[in-house]
Amino acid sequence: SIAIHAADGHLVNTLVQDQSLAAGRYFGGPSGTTAVTWDGLNSDGLPAASGFYLVRISVGNRVFIRKLLLVW
């Protein structure tokens, strides 16, 4: 799964849940790779506030957390 959390830890939006993606790198580019993007909206479809967020990526039993800065 791929989820966006506010700096205080609460869930803002889930981008990918219970879905298998092919192994590889996920970024936008001309090579035909798949991109997973966040449009800056929360789960209610409203714009999230500018600020720091955490991206939580869960793959099997591994969890990766990365920082993200949203600026409107």
Side-chain angles (χ1 to χ4, degrees), residues 1-69:
S1 68
I2 301 174
I4 306 295
H5 293 264
D8 66 3
H10 82 269
L11 180 64
V12 174
N13 203 343
T14 301
L15 306 180
V16 177
Q17 182 174 336
D18 299 329
Q19 180 179 351
S20 295
L21 300 174
R25 295 178 183 266
Y26 288 87
F27 59 91
S31 62
T33 58
T34 300
V36 177
T37 60
W38 178 41
D39 55 10
L41 303 179
N42 64 22
S43 58
D44 294 325
L46 301 173
S50 293
F52 284 99
Y53 291 86
L54 302 172
V55 180
R56 184 178 191 273
I57 304 167
S58 301
V59 180
N61 62 351
R62 299 186 69 183
V63 175
F64 304 91
I65 297 176
R66 299 292 182 262
K67 297 176 196 172
L68 174 87
L69 177 62

